[in-house]
Amino acid sequence: MVMQISALVLCLLVAATFGLKNQPDVVPWVELVEAKSVVKDSNTVYDLAVKLGPQFASLLDKCPTIKQKLQNDKTITLFVPNNDALANMNKDLLAAITGDPVLLEDTLSFHASTMKIVKADIKDEGLIPSLDGQVKIRTNLYTDINVITASGSPIVTFDQQASNGVVHVVNKFIYPRADQDVAVRLESISIYSIFTDLLVLAGTSSTLHEDGPYTIYSPSNAAFNKIPKATLNRLKNNATQLRNVMERHVVASRTIFTTGLKAGAAAQETAVNGDILVLTKTSSVPPITTVGGDSQYAIIRDPDVTCSNGVVHGIDKVLWKY
């Protein structure tokens, strides 16, 4: 009986061996178990971007170099704009960015860092190297309204852990890339050319190349054109008064993004010349933000232009009681 069982076992083993050789598509049960055990769900920062900001992820798909970094690099922090952030973005601006491959890659790289930064690591006026290692993402803590921003974009969801880093969700597309200081940024925007020229004339411009941080309220050329020419010429010829007026448009030592202001309330900041500036933000959608004092108030028309050493806001009136 024992010999019969042994012979049966031997036959089964031989049949199994030769049968499998003639059937290449058949995989032994043991191998199937092993193969299944090594298959894992991917959970890279890119995969989380697909889940948390699918429209943003579709932009990443257009930049293979960045996408591969987000999938393969060992340590990544990614700020993912949610779908609302892209839906609320100026359509012409978004089209301009997506239509320029170089600009798109530069912009997307400004949403990520090769450092792992969790919420507990974020500091006020912190600077995080972005993906290219040169341009830095500025973080700010607005404790009075419990808002934390990344280059002016509020973070709405923190610390989504990935296999190779962490993802934070923001509700505003981070643009422009902070690759220029406030002085150079102003020089690059033609509608602020009069203000830029007056900063140079007043001897204030050179200071704005320093580390800062600075918040600049820049009147547009149209705002200066509201002032009678004779009055503006007198200002240009009075060095002391000119410097005082220019410094009234600058706040040093703090970056003030409109996203860090409480809706329906007023905040005060001290300008470089010592004047108190009052900022108010309405509760309307979209909100209207004003800045000024001494009966001279302007509306911020072009808010939150990020710079390497602060932020620029374009305003529609010169903060000067002439």
Side-chain angles (χ1 to χ4, degrees):
M1 182 68 176
V2 174
M3 291 182 62
Q4 290 178 344
I5 293 174
S6 299
L8 178 60
V9 171
L10 179 62
C11 289
L12 288 173
L13 289 173
V14 171
T17 301
F18 285 95
L20 289 174
K21 286 184 178 179
N22 294 326
Q23 300 181 54
D25 293 334
V26 177
V27 180
W29 177 80
V30 174
E31 291 185 10
L32 278 175
V33 172
E34 292 177 351
K36 186 175 181 180
S37 67
V38 299
V39 175
K40 297 179 180 179
D41 292 335
S42 182
N43 189 43
T44 66
V45 291
Y46 170 77
D47 297 310
L48 284 184
V50 173
K51 297 175 184 177
L52 300 171
Q55 291 185 20
F56 179 72
S58 70
L59 298 181
L60 293 173
D61 291 337
K62 297 181 180 181
C63 297
T65 302
I66 293 179
K67 180 178 177 179
Q68 288 172 10
K69 282 181 174 290
L70 301 183
Q71 291 174 317
N72 300 325
D73 280 19
K74 293 182 179 180
T75 306
I76 292 286
T77 295
L78 182 63
F79 297 95
V80 175
N82 55 27
N83 284 354
D84 287 343
L86 289 171
N88 294 331
M89 193 173 173
N90 180 284
K91 305 307 178 190
D92 292 336
L93 176 59
L94 183 58
I97 294 171
T98 56
D100 184 334
V102 175
L103 178 58
L104 178 60
E105 184 164 327
D106 285 346
T107 302
L108 295 182
S109 72
F110 192 49
H111 286 74
S113 173
T114 53
M115 295 175 62
K116 184 176 181 180
I117 306 293
V118 297
K119 183 179 181 181
D121 299 325
I122 298 176
K123 300 177 181 179
D124 191 38
E125 302 296 354
L127 294 172
I128 303 171
S130 63
L131 207 57
D132 66 5
Q134 300 177 4
V135 183
K136 296 180 179 179
I137 302 165
R138 183 178 295 274
T139 57
N140 289 96
L141 310 181
Y142 299 98
T143 55
D144 55 331
I145 58 172
N146 197 29
V147 169
I148 298 176
T149 60
S151 288
S153 182
I155 303 173
V156 294
T157 305
F158 293 87
D159 295 347
Q160 302 301 294
Q161 298 296 324
S163 59
N164 63 336
V166 64
V167 170
H168 306 292
V169 180
V170 295
N171 67 359
K172 183 174 178 285
F173 194 71
I174 304 176
Y175 185 86
R177 191 167 174 258
D179 55 353
Q180 297 175 321
D181 63 41
V182 292
V184 175
R185 182 76 78 193
L186 285 169
E187 292 170 2
S188 72
I189 305 175
S190 60
I191 63 170
Y192 302 138
S193 62
I194 296 177
F195 181 64
T196 301
D197 291 343
L198 292 178
L199 285 172
V200 173
L201 185 61
T204 307
S205 181
S206 59
T207 303
L208 301 180
H209 293 293
E210 297 175 2
D211 290 343
Y214 299 104
T215 299
I216 311 294
Y217 300 99
S218 176
S220 64
N221 290 349
F224 278 103
N225 290 335
K226 296 175 184 178
I227 301 173
K229 289 184 179 180
T231 303
L232 189 57
N233 286 334
R234 283 197 298 272
L235 177 65
K236 292 178 181 178
N237 293 320
N238 186 329
T240 301
Q241 187 180 29
L242 176 61
R243 189 176 186 89
N244 182 66
V245 171
M246 291 299 98
E247 289 182 347
R248 193 175 195 224
H249 293 79
V250 180
V251 173
S253 76
R254 182 139 194 247
T255 308
I256 307 163
F257 288 98
T258 61
T259 48
L261 298 174
K262 184 178 181 179
Q268 292 187 347
E269 298 292 341
T270 303
V272 170
N273 73 339
D275 287 351
I276 300 298
L277 297 178
V278 179
L279 295 107
T280 59
K281 180 179 178 181
T282 66
S283 300
S284 59
V285 180
I288 297 171
T289 305
T290 61
V291 59
D294 193 24
S295 302
Q296 301 298 305
Y297 289 89
I299 296 175
I300 297 178
R301 300 291 186 182
D302 185 16
D304 303 331
V305 181
T306 56
C307 303
S308 60
N309 62 345
V311 64
V312 169
H313 303 290
I315 58 177
D316 65 356
K317 189 175 182 180
V318 180
L319 302 178
W320 176 38
K321 192 172 183 179
Y322 54 86

